[in-house]
Amino acid sequence: MRILVSLLILCCSFSVFSQRYYTESYTQADLGRGFNQQSHTPDAKCVTGQVRYHSAMSGELDYLQRLNATQVRRRTFGEVHGGVNLFIIAGSVSTSITHRNSTDKLSLTSQLHLKFDEGYSTLENRQVVAGYENNDCGNSFIYQLDYGRDVFINTRLHFRSEADYKRFVTKIKIRLLFFKKTITKVKLIEKYAANAVLSIDANSSAPLPAELTSLLNNNTQHCRGSDITPCLTTLQRLSDYVFGNSGLAKDLKLMEKAPRGITTRSYEESGHYALQSQSIKTEPQYDFIWQKIESRYGAAVRRLERARAFLAIANDGELDAAQLEVERATILLSDMEGIRSVCMTSPWLAQCS
């Protein structure tokens, strides 16, 4: 019984140190690098071995609607420890996507999400590198690199005021993306979205297929809420491309696989006890700071998206004010990107609290 209890305790301790992260910022060359789970930053490479690729191709298409940033992360990437780990080390591309695809009180987003998994690479037959004693090895190492991409095709309504937003979501009960173009539905949307902008876009943490980019660039992407018919034509063409036999899925299979996330493993779990003895034991204490910074960053991302949408449909009388708002939103996002870059890696600094 004592042996069984000891084994259970040991297994529980392992699970604490083995964690999964979403990020496009790592490559196969990072396998074996140390990883500090307190600061969520990579360290020196203290473990080497043989890289083994595991083929596991699969695709999943989902419809998402009216999700906030937390819900987008949960639905799209899964969630570990309240979601903090997922976005702390995520690169600026995937982090921006999380916020662009979410809804707040001035925007409404619905999207088709294609989650495409392209296998993973692991580090096997591992051994410590020479001179590891002089390295900062962290308290775990990068064991696995996952490949794949997330493609979002979005319809967004950007509102000028929270009152306009509330009025629309109260009155309109239909999905915005790929609905049947009946006269009644179009008139309803145009009635309650008269002061809004309807926009269409696609984004991904990896390069988009050239055919998808071309389709968007050559069709209407922004419409006044009072006249959405040109955008509905674009949506129909997107629908044909996404669901056609020679469309999006085929194009994605022809593209080079892209990094999608990593899994770390503790040195103890790997049997490298010498490295484990010098690892950091403390738990992260910066979750609140990280979450506040991420929330402010997300608001700045959506403000710029909204400003660009209104600029795209501005007439002569609206142009100056629309351009000014884009400039202000651009400066704010730039400031928030700088703050995020510093505070995600050094949250103990005074400017982060």
Side-chain angles (χ1 to χ4, degrees):
M1 177 60 74
R2 288 182 177 177
I3 294 176
L4 178 59
V5 171
S6 298
L7 286 174
L8 288 174
I9 292 174
L10 188 59
C11 289
C12 289
S13 68
F14 287 167
S15 65
V16 170
F17 291 103
S18 185
Q19 294 188 21
R20 180 170 49 87
Y21 300 83
Y22 181 83
T23 173
E24 82 282 359
S25 303
Y26 289 75
T27 68
Q28 187 171 287
D30 292 305
L31 292 173
R33 289 186 68 179
F35 196 83
N36 187 322
Q37 290 182 330
Q38 182 179 15
S39 61
H40 301 90
T41 54
D43 291 310
K45 179 174 285 194
C46 295
V47 176
T48 189
Q50 297 175 344
V51 177
R52 182 176 301 169
Y53 174 69
H54 309 262
S55 178
M57 307 291 284
S58 65
E60 179 182 348
L61 185 65
D62 295 305
Y63 178 87
L64 308 178
Q65 186 181 32
R66 298 185 185 181
L67 302 185
N68 60 34
T70 299
Q71 291 169 326
V72 170
R73 282 195 299 269
R74 287 174 178 168
R75 185 64 188 86
T76 307
F77 314 125
E79 189 160 0
V80 182
H81 293 282
V84 174
N85 293 340
L86 285 167
F87 65 76
I88 294 307
I89 65 167
S92 59
V93 176
S94 57
T95 304
S96 176
I97 284 173
T98 298
H99 295 299
R100 285 178 62 189
N101 294 335
S102 65
T103 290
D104 57 22
K105 293 181 180 180
L106 285 174
S107 62
L108 184 64
T109 300
S110 59
Q111 62 256 145
L112 288 177
H113 168 221
L114 179 61
K115 181 178 181 180
F116 195 55
D117 293 318
E118 302 171 297
Y120 58 97
S121 294
T122 58
L123 191 67
E124 306 297 342
N125 300 322
R126 297 177 297 278
Q127 55 188 337
V128 297
V129 300
Y132 72 87
E133 303 91 344
N134 300 318
N135 294 337
D136 185 355
C137 298
N139 52 7
S140 61
F141 68 99
I142 301 174
Y143 163 71
Q144 179 172 312
L145 177 68
D146 297 314
Y147 303 103
R149 66 189 71 214
D150 298 277
V151 178
F152 295 88
I153 298 177
N154 308 282
T155 297
R156 314 179 199 275
L157 271 174
H158 305 273
F159 297 90
R160 293 187 185 276
S161 69
E162 187 175 337
D164 286 343
Y165 168 84
K166 289 182 177 179
R167 182 168 176 261
F168 184 88
V169 298
T170 300
K171 298 293 183 178
I172 302 296
K173 303 296 183 183
I174 62 175
R175 293 180 173 182
L176 295 177
L177 195 59
F178 301 138
F179 61 85
K180 290 184 178 180
K181 191 171 61 174
T182 64
I183 295 176
T184 301
K185 288 181 178 179
V186 170
K187 285 186 174 180
L188 268 177
I189 289 180
E190 290 178 343
K191 176 181 178 180
Y192 293 108
N195 295 324
V197 178
L198 178 65
S199 67
I200 303 168
D201 73 89
N203 56 57
S204 175
S205 57
L208 290 169
E211 182 67 21
L212 175 55
T213 301
S214 176
L215 192 157
L216 288 170
N217 290 341
N218 293 315
N219 289 276
T220 303
Q221 291 183 256
H222 296 89
C223 295
R224 286 186 177 273
S226 57
D227 182 17
I228 65 173
T229 298
C231 287
L232 298 185
T233 301
T234 304
L235 285 177
Q236 184 58 57
R237 291 170 180 168
L238 278 171
S239 180
D240 295 340
Y241 172 71
V242 170
F243 298 109
N245 293 330
S246 60
L248 179 59
K250 175 178 174 291
D251 288 345
L252 288 176
K253 288 180 181 178
L254 298 176
M255 299 184 74
E256 184 179 352
K257 62 181 184 292
R260 188 174 189 273
I262 62 171
T263 298
T264 64
R265 179 173 289 187
S266 71
Y267 292 116
E268 183 180 14
E269 187 178 4
S270 185
H272 299 298
Y273 299 103
L275 294 173
Q276 181 68 23
S277 64
Q278 67 176 28
S279 66
I280 302 170
K281 300 293 183 181
T282 55
E283 290 295 317
Q285 300 295 322
Y286 307 111
D287 291 11
F288 177 75
I289 292 176
W290 281 327
Q291 289 172 335
K292 292 294 289 184
I293 294 294
E294 194 68 12
S295 177
R296 292 172 58 195
Y297 173 75
V301 168
R302 290 188 295 275
R303 177 176 173 178
L304 181 55
E305 288 294 307
R306 193 159 47 245
R308 286 172 172 169
F310 280 103
L311 178 61
I313 56 90
N315 57 34
D316 291 342
E318 301 165 336
L319 190 58
D320 289 344
Q323 288 177 332
L324 180 60
E325 173 59 14
V326 168
E327 292 172 5
R328 289 173 174 171
T330 300
I331 292 172
L332 175 62
L333 180 57
S334 178
D335 290 343
M336 284 309 307
E337 286 174 339
I339 292 173
R340 184 184 187 276
S341 177
V342 171
C343 296
M344 288 302 176
T345 55
S346 305
W348 52 83
L349 297 177
Q351 68 190 84
C352 302
S353 59

